[in-house]
């Protein structure tokens, strides 16, 4: 055990320490990679050290390293070593974090960390929540709670409102919950990619006049495309006046509330009914670490708690909190441990500074891009994301993504903004340097010039 464990730690240390000097990773071709990696399980043992060598040679290099300082695509996943060790401990002890009976101290740590988040967000003491696999699961959990709280079992005629910039996991969650597409109102965003209050007000009025039942608005607290934050205070006023549930998808952006820059951008977040916040994005945790909060934790409990006979020992003491009563998982790992261990180890100020750096790096990238030949900014730096393009040819942007992937120095991805293909840099990795960004843009400029 020790020899294997020490070797694993050595591999991880090498990964963290040597990452910046290596490539951003690679994408293998399906046929070729499957031919190399797919084997039946052996009948007889294999030396685990030989297997580790195989993993080092064939498996780890053939993924993109989302924690690499020059990985700017989608939403990077800049983990940290302390949390990596926490995940190892949680797996090693195989902590069961579903019930108080099975994992009382784990539940206490989870409640503690959830309470930290509650305070960060300015929610009242009635608020609560739990750790889930990520933003998709958080949105699903919150929207099921919203449906139960406001509609019960009758969902026909209910309508839900969100902007055209909303992450697709919201639409998927609503479909899983049972809504039909015709119940969605996807409202065109304004010129800064935010949900326009007036359009929303009109859509709600039209639906009410048609005898429908507006029930929920999903706001963005940092969109995936451009980092846009919807007008949270205005939405909270509107939802309060109309009696609608307000959910904020802050899977990407809500963690920024712990720093001054984020707090200013996210004003009004404290008024939402539910919130998704992903520590595996801008709180530097390894996957899978999402979080859902509800302004009134009782809404989660009434939506999810069931009491089957074989759980009678679990539910005997009502002073005990069972995480499984608040979401869709019964057996669940000890996700809170990595947040607890890393926040205690580094201190909150380090997290605050690391998030602030994400804002500053995107602003640096924007300034740098503005000096480059044939480069147009399509969305200025916002919450750690800047969108731009070289030239005015959509195909060129896609080609640049492919060239960067082949080059392996850095990686970024494209999206569509108001019908135009855009490149975007998401700069939330605090280990990224200004030089990483300049050199990445140098390469883009060179490739764009042909
Ligand atoms: C705004 C937003 N919501 C939801 C999600 C989905 O999160 P996950 O991939 O953790 O399920 C993402 C992922 O990038 C996101 O950016």
């Amino acid at each position: 055990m020790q020899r294997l464990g020490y070797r694993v730690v050595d591999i991880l240390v090498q990964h963290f320490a040597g990452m910046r000097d290596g490539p951003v990773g690679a994408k293998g071709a399906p046929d070729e990679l499957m031919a190399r990696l797919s084997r039946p399980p052996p009948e007889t043992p294999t030396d685990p050290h030989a297997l580790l060598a195989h993993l080092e040679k064939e498996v780890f290099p053939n993924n993109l390293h989302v924690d690499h300082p020059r990985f700017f695509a989608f939403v990077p996943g800049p983990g940290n070593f302390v949390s990596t060790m926490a995940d190892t401990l949680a797996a090693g002890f195989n902590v069961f974090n579903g019930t108080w009976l099975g994992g009382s101290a784990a539940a206490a740590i989870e409640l503690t960390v959830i309470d930290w988040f509650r305070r960060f967000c300015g929610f009242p003491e009635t608020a609560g929540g739990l750790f889930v696999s990520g933003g998709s699961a958080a949105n699903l959990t919150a929207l099921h709670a919203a449906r139960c709280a406001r509609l019960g079992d009758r969902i026909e005629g209910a309508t839900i409102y969100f902007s055209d910039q909303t992450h697709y996991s919201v639409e998927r969650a609503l479909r899983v919950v049972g809504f039909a597409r015709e119940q969605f109102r996807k409202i065109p965003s304004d010129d800064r990619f935010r949900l326009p209050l007036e359009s929303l007000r009109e859509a709600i009025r039209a639906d009410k006049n048609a005898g429908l039942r507006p029930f929920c608005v999903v706001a963005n607290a940092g969109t995936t495309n451009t980092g846009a934050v919807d007008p949270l205070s205005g939405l909270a006023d509107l939802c309060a006046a109309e009696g609608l549930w307000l959910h904020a998808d802050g899977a990407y952006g809500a963690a920024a509330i712990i720093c001054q820059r984020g707090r200013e951008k996210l004003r009004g977040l404290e008024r939402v009914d539910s919130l998704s916040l992903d520590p595996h994005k801008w709180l530097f945790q390894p996957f899978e670490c999402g979080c859902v909060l509800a302004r009134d934790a009782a809404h989660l409990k009434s939506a999810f708690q069931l009491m089957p006979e074989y759980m009678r020992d679990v539910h005997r003491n009502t002073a005990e909190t069972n995480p499984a009563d608040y979401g869709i998982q019964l057996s669940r790992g000890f996700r809170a441990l990595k947040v607890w261990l890393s926040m205690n180890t580094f201190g909150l100020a380090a997290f605050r500074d690391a998030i602030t750096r994400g804002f500053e790096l995107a602003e640096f990238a924007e300034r740098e891009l503005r000096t480059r030949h044939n480069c147009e900014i399509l969305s200025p730096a916002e919450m750690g994301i800047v969108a731009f393009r070289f030239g005015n040819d959509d195909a060129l942007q896609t080609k640049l993504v492919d060239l960067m992937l082949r080059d392996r120095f850095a990686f970024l991805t494209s999206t569509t903004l108001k019908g135009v293909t855009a490149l975007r840099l998401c700069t939330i990795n605090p280990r990224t340097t200004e030089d990483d960004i300049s050199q990445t843009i140098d390469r883009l400029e060179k490739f764009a010039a042909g």
Side-chain angles (χ1 to χ4, degrees):
M1 285 192 284
Q2 281 185 329
R3 273 209 313 128
L4 185 59
Y6 291 156
R7 178 81 191 97
V8 168
V9 169
D10 284 346
I11 291 173
L12 288 172
V13 170
Q14 199 181 329
H15 169 67
F16 275 88
M19 193 170 2
R20 91 160 23 261
D21 302 324
V24 74
K27 181 183 86 159
D31 290 356
E32 193 255 335
L33 210 49
M34 287 304 290
R36 247 163 55 206
L37 296 181
S38 173
R39 306 172 184 171
E43 280 300 321
T44 53
T46 310
D47 175 11
H49 290 272
L51 293 170
L52 285 183
H54 171 71
L55 293 177
E56 279 186 280
K57 183 160 175 278
E58 301 286 353
V59 176
F60 298 132
N62 283 310
N63 301 303
L64 286 168
H65 304 311
V66 298
D67 49 355
H68 192 289
R70 293 185 298 276
F71 183 93
F72 302 108
F74 305 111
V75 176
N80 73 85
F81 187 73
V82 171
S83 294
T84 306
M85 294 297 99
D87 264 357
T88 310
L89 286 167
F93 280 88
N94 207 13
V95 176
F96 179 84
N97 199 181
T99 63
W100 191 274
L101 177 61
S104 49
I109 294 285
E110 177 161 9
L111 285 174
T112 302
V113 180
I114 290 291
D115 200 56
W116 294 351
F117 287 9
R118 176 187 75 74
R119 287 166 195 268
F120 296 159
C121 296
F123 287 145
E125 281 184 14
T126 51
L130 80 168
F131 284 94
V132 294
S133 58
S136 304
N139 285 333
L140 175 61
T141 308
L143 291 169
H144 178 63
R147 175 217 142 140
C148 293
R150 294 298 164 91
L151 301 172
D153 288 332
R154 274 197 56 229
I155 65 168
E156 61 289 354
T159 45
I160 306 112
Y161 305 80
F162 47 89
S163 90
D164 60 8
Q165 296 300 299
T166 301
H167 192 270
Y168 80 107
S169 60
V170 166
E171 228 174 292
R172 187 167 57 190
L174 290 167
R175 298 194 62 201
V176 172
V177 171
F179 293 99
R181 280 204 186 91
E182 69 208 30
Q183 294 173 279
F184 305 163
R185 301 290 178 268
K186 197 185 279 194
I187 296 174
S189 52
D190 66 14
D191 57 349
R192 288 171 60 194
F193 306 100
R194 297 168 309 184
L195 177 58
L197 280 170
E198 205 36 54
S199 314
L200 174 63
R201 203 171 279 125
E202 272 167 31
I204 293 170
R205 197 178 307 136
D207 284 335
K208 279 196 167 167
N209 289 342
L212 296 170
R213 298 191 293 152
F215 104 97
C216 175
V217 173
V218 180
N220 289 302
T223 63
T224 321
N225 265 343
T226 63
V229 178
D230 289 336
L232 298 171
S233 294
L235 289 171
D237 289 340
L238 181 56
C239 287
E242 298 283 350
L244 308 187
W245 182 284
L246 178 58
H247 171 67
D249 180 0
Y252 171 67
I257 198 137
I258 69 169
C259 75
Q260 184 61 29
R261 303 276 312 261
R263 204 158 31 249
E264 283 160 17
K265 293 269 175 207
L266 295 165
R267 215 163 273 145
L269 192 71
E270 71 285 354
R271 295 177 61 196
V272 305
D273 293 295
S274 56
L275 171 69
S276 302
L277 183 163
D278 274 0
H280 70 200
K281 295 187 170 75
W282 218 348
L283 276 182
F284 319 110
Q285 302 301 318
F287 303 130
E288 300 176 353
C289 198
C291 173
V292 57
L293 293 173
R295 169 172 214 82
D296 184 351
H299 286 311
L300 288 173
K301 195 168 181 179
S302 57
F304 288 100
Q305 188 185 44
L306 292 168
M307 296 195 188
E309 62 279 12
Y310 41 81
M311 296 285 274
R312 61 189 296 279
D313 296 319
V314 164
H315 288 120
R316 252 188 283 146
N317 186 342
T318 53
E320 297 173 355
T321 300
N322 299 298
D325 290 343
Y326 292 78
I328 53 179
Q329 277 186 285
L330 172 54
S331 298
R332 54 201 291 279
F334 192 7
R335 295 186 179 103
L337 182 64
K338 49 191 162 190
V339 182
W340 184 90
L341 196 67
S342 55
M343 281 205 165
N344 276 302
T345 301
F346 299 118
L348 204 49
F351 281 84
R352 202 174 285 131
D353 292 349
I355 294 175
T356 304
R357 181 158 176 76
F359 279 82
E360 292 167 356
L361 286 169
E363 284 151 8
F364 173 82
E366 180 192 335
R367 284 196 300 277
E368 191 69 21
L369 286 160
R370 285 191 189 279
T371 67
R372 302 306 177 107
H373 179 65
N374 226 0
C375 181
E376 179 193 358
I377 299 293
L378 297 175
S379 171
E382 181 78 353
M383 301 276 285
I385 300 174
V386 57
F388 57 98
R389 64 198 235 134
F390 279 92
N392 55 12
D393 174 8
D394 283 347
L396 174 62
Q397 318 311 316
T398 315
K399 189 173 154 203
L400 288 174
V401 170
D402 289 343
L403 288 170
M404 293 298 276
L405 187 58
R406 217 171 301 151
D407 185 50
R408 296 190 183 184
F409 176 77
F411 190 56
L412 79 176
T413 39
S414 61
T415 186
T416 305
L417 295 178
K418 308 276 180 212
V420 160
T421 306
L423 297 171
R424 56 189 277 298
L425 291 169
C426 181
T427 59
I428 62 170
N429 189 333
R431 291 181 287 267
T432 300
T433 62
E434 280 76 3
D435 202 41
D436 285 323
I437 290 179
S438 305
Q439 289 194 53
T440 300
I441 296 174
D442 287 349
R443 276 173 148 82
L444 282 169
E445 191 180 27
K446 192 181 87 190
F447 291 145

